[in-house]
Amino acid sequence: MTGSGFTAQSTAAEVVGGIDLTGRRAVVTGAASGIGLETARALAGAGAEVTLAVRDTAAGERAAAAIASGGAGRVLVAPLDLADQRSVAAFAAAWHGPLHVLVNNAGVMMTPQTRTPEGWELQFATNHLGHFALATRLHPALAAAGRARVVSLSSVAHLRSPVHFDDVHFRDRPYDAGLAYAQSKTANVLFAVEAGRRWAADGVTVNAVHPGAVLGTNLSRHLTREALDAAASGGRTFKTPQQGAATVVYVATAPGLERVAGRYFEDCAEAHRHIPGTSGGVADHALDPDAAALLWRMSLDCLAADVRG
């Protein structure tokens, strides 16, 4: 696979420049602000019909109006709360027709210990199980589109932890918000690995993306002022939301990625394998096909138990 020609400084608008998405339909979760908003703006700007799937529909309507004011394609808003399986089911049931692009962007980070009504740890429930349920429910629409793409947003934080299958929801081990976030981000990559394998015959490609460090988005709302100050002064390079959306849009639209699946991208390129002691790259535990298959089965079991309950 050749290089994209884009860099860590590229913006979503630059990445999608020259690409015509007229007639394509996309869903972006968490698209009322931040990276999700800029992803939706770029896709709509290229002609796609974009549905902003958001918890706060009033904020979604404001975002849709802002996108539409730029002369973009059709922008719609629909309610979706990924921590509420009834909301996920309702969103999927209301969808009709093909779906060409699904961007699993929404997420929570470093939340206080919180459980959903099912007893699931909130970060894993929102970041992984909610998106897993959404994507699998929308799979028929993705398959109907032909050469559809799913983009699963992960994070460099996945390097900190594999998925602990023996205690995913912190029922026995002490709760650690950072490790809970990290394993949910590993799950986002493992989902891409297994869904990419399972759905290849349907023409649906699934890849994971690390958008880069972007300060000032709603994702960081649970970080303390001390943590934010430490991040800002730690020498890390931060991206704007437009730059953070670039790799997402690249994986969602680049012509050269039509048959690429189960990979992890950062800075508009496929990432290298992480070398301990260095920064960046993708951990071996996030690309492990056995862990990916186990996560898929466990996720189905969780959702089946929720239905039975």
Side-chain angles (χ1 to χ4, degrees):
M1 186 167 54
T2 58
S4 69
F6 300 108
T7 69
Q9 287 72 48
S10 297
T11 66
E14 292 168 346
V15 166
V16 83
I19 294 178
D20 184 5
L21 299 179
T22 302
R24 301 292 186 93
R25 305 173 74 204
V27 169
V28 182
T29 67
S33 64
I35 294 170
L37 171 59
E38 297 306 326
T39 297
R41 192 192 308 275
L43 296 176
E49 175 192 288
V50 182
T51 297
L52 314 184
V54 296
R55 283 190 301 172
D56 184 343
T57 54
E61 294 291 353
R62 292 192 293 271
I67 294 171
S69 68
R74 189 181 185 203
V75 184
L76 307 172
V77 177
L80 175 66
D81 182 349
L82 290 162
D84 181 347
Q85 285 296 315
R86 293 170 300 179
S87 176
V88 174
F91 180 94
W95 185 269
H96 299 288
L99 175 59
H100 301 86
V101 177
L102 171 62
V103 179
N104 291 335
N105 163 81
V108 293
M109 179 174 71
M110 302 288 285
T111 58
Q113 185 169 17
T114 308
R115 297 196 181 278
T116 67
E118 299 86 0
W120 303 336
E121 189 277 317
L122 181 63
Q123 295 185 80
F124 194 82
T126 302
N127 299 345
H128 170 63
L129 288 172
H131 278 129
F132 177 87
L134 179 68
T136 52
R137 286 180 179 277
L138 289 175
H139 174 256
L142 292 163
R147 296 187 179 179
R149 301 191 193 189
V150 180
V151 184
S152 178
L153 266 71
S154 182
S155 166
V156 68
H158 85 273
L159 298 174
R160 291 190 59 201
S161 178
V163 174
H164 288 271
F165 291 101
D166 57 341
D167 190 16
V168 165
H169 298 294
F170 290 85
R171 293 191 173 102
D172 298 318
R173 54 183 170 144
Y175 180 69
D176 184 308
L179 291 181
Y181 179 67
Q183 76 160 0
S184 77
K185 294 292 99 179
T186 290
N188 292 149
V189 189
L190 292 173
F191 165 74
V193 171
E194 183 65 6
R197 182 189 71 80
R198 286 173 175 261
W199 295 348
D202 301 317
V204 180
T205 61
V206 188
N207 289 288
V209 163
H210 167 43
V214 180
L215 279 180
T217 69
N218 286 338
L219 189 63
S220 61
R221 63 186 177 275
H222 293 290
L223 294 180
T224 64
R225 171 50 56 187
E226 291 77 11
L228 288 171
D229 290 344
S233 63
R236 182 183 298 181
T237 300
F238 290 93
K239 296 183 179 184
T240 66
Q242 293 85 355
Q243 291 170 330
T247 306
V248 183
V249 173
Y250 171 67
V251 172
T253 65
L257 300 181
E258 281 189 352
R259 301 185 186 280
V260 174
R263 313 282 182 87
Y264 176 95
F265 290 78
E266 57 187 4
D267 296 337
C268 296
E270 185 177 349
H272 60 79
R273 290 294 184 100
H274 174 69
I275 300 172
T278 66
S279 61
V282 57
D284 288 340
H285 64 243
L287 296 178
D288 180 351
D290 293 333
L294 178 57
L295 177 66
W296 193 280
R297 294 193 299 271
M298 187 207 76
S299 302
L300 288 177
D301 288 344
C302 283
L303 299 181
D306 173 47
V307 171
R308 290 194 298 270

